[in-house]
Amino acid sequence: MMGTIIDLLVEHKKAEEILDELETRLRIYEKRFSANDPSSELMEINHNAGIQKVVVHPDLYELIKLGKEKSLTSDYLNIAIGPLIQTWRIGFSDAKVPSDDEIKTLLVNTDPRNILLHDEEHSVFLTEKGMLLDLGSLAKGFIADLLVAYLKLEKVTGALINLGGNVVVLGTAKQHEDGLWRVGIQDPSKKRNQTSLVLKLSNQSIVTSGIYERSLIKENKCYHHIINPKTGYPIETDVLSLTIISKKSVDGEIWTTRLFGLTSTEILQTLSLTPGIEGIIITTEEILLSDGIKDLM
């Protein structure tokens, strides 16, 4: 589901019932936020680019509004990047390397200022034909936060949600005496589930973004899937993966996207100045930790 493997763990006397409800909600959210399902609510906006506004569900409207706000103040987060993502299609069987001219043409249609929003009617209008919204940089975190809100309503005492690179832990882990969940951080140079370090957490989100996750090899050159909205090409960086620990999962998504593209030194400096956010940077040479990470190990 959602193009990834999802793990759900719930501690509750009605765990099976709650797990079924989580699955139902995930299928609804997938149909609402997906940029790869032509019949999703998000794609209805894209199909009407340059034609007309579309009234959408409040959750989708809220995420697009948040995404536009962050896109206007960030070099590396842009929810209007869809034309580039859908042309490169790295991670899909029809992935390709676009020509320079094609990329220049596509960049014209990635201006987030051309997303017009109407708060009262929850409508979205993309003013230019060819525009495409892509919420891949934010949606998993937003969905994880929605699931956690439901679990809290059900008074779940312990839960783990893994949406593939996006993990949230809630409450107590009964299997450990200290009650803290263990979450491993993938070693980018090794096979899946081989970790560089393990964090001990409770009521926190862990979002990892890495260039090792999806790639395209063409003419002996490797292209990863994280596209620079300014150039239209994969971001050039010495960072293999960036993990952000935060209270809200959508914040983890925002910060991994905003920071991926900066140098490891710049990322570390930004983390030190941002309260409530901790991070792990794995480069080609070393592992760098923000000040608060050592308290989580």
Side-chain angles (χ1 to χ4, degrees), residues 187-253:
D187 184 335
S189 65
K190 296 181 179 176
K191 292 182 179 179
R192 187 67 70 183
N193 296 325
Q194 295 192 51
T195 58
S196 294
L197 52 93
V198 176
L199 302 178
K200 299 177 181 178
L201 302 162
S202 178
N203 299 316
Q204 284 163 298
S205 160
I206 309 94
V207 175
T208 297
S209 186
I211 63 173
Y212 60 94
E213 292 175 341
R214 284 181 279 154
S215 61
L216 166 67
I217 296 176
K218 203 77 172 179
E219 297 179 349
N220 295 321
K221 186 171 181 180
C222 183
Y223 301 86
H224 64 77
H225 73 292
I226 302 178
I227 304 297
N228 184 335
K230 300 294 183 186
T231 66
Y233 286 89
I235 283 172
E236 295 183 7
T237 176
D238 65 332
V239 176
L240 299 178
S241 78
L242 170 62
T243 298
I244 296 293
I245 293 89
S246 55
K247 287 293 183 185
K248 287 181 65 178
S249 195
V250 73
D251 288 341
E253 297 274 21

Side-chain angles (χ1 to χ4, degrees), residues 86-90 92 94-99 102 216 218:
Q86 290 301 324
T87 298
W88 281 92
R89 290 191 60 78
I90 294 176
F92 295 89
D94 55 347
K96 66 169 186 176
V97 179
S99 68
E102 192 174 1
L216 166 67
K218 203 77 172 179

Side-chain angles (χ1 to χ4, degrees), residues 234-280:
I235 283 172
E236 295 183 7
T237 176
D238 65 332
V239 176
L240 299 178
S241 78
L242 170 62
T243 298
I244 296 293
I245 293 89
S246 55
K247 287 293 183 185
K248 287 181 65 178
S249 195
V250 73
D251 288 341
E253 297 274 21
I254 289 168
W255 281 103
T256 52
T257 309
R258 290 182 71 165
L259 297 176
F260 215 110
L262 302 179
T263 66
S264 52
T265 302
E266 290 171 331
I267 294 173
L268 210 53
Q269 288 172 342
T270 304
L271 291 173
S272 70
L273 298 172
T274 309
I277 304 290
E278 300 293 343
I280 300 165

Side-chain angles (χ1 to χ4, degrees), residues 8 11 14-15 24 28 44-46 72 75 82 86 89 102 116 157 160 170 179 220 230 234 245 265:
L8 302 171
E11 295 278 358
K14 296 181 179 177
T24 298
I28 292 171
E44 188 179 355
I45 300 170
N46 290 339
L72 293 172
D75 286 337
Q86 290 301 324
R89 290 191 60 78
E102 192 174 1
L116 300 189
T157 56
L160 181 146
L170 174 67
N220 295 321
K230 300 294 183 186
I245 293 89
T265 302

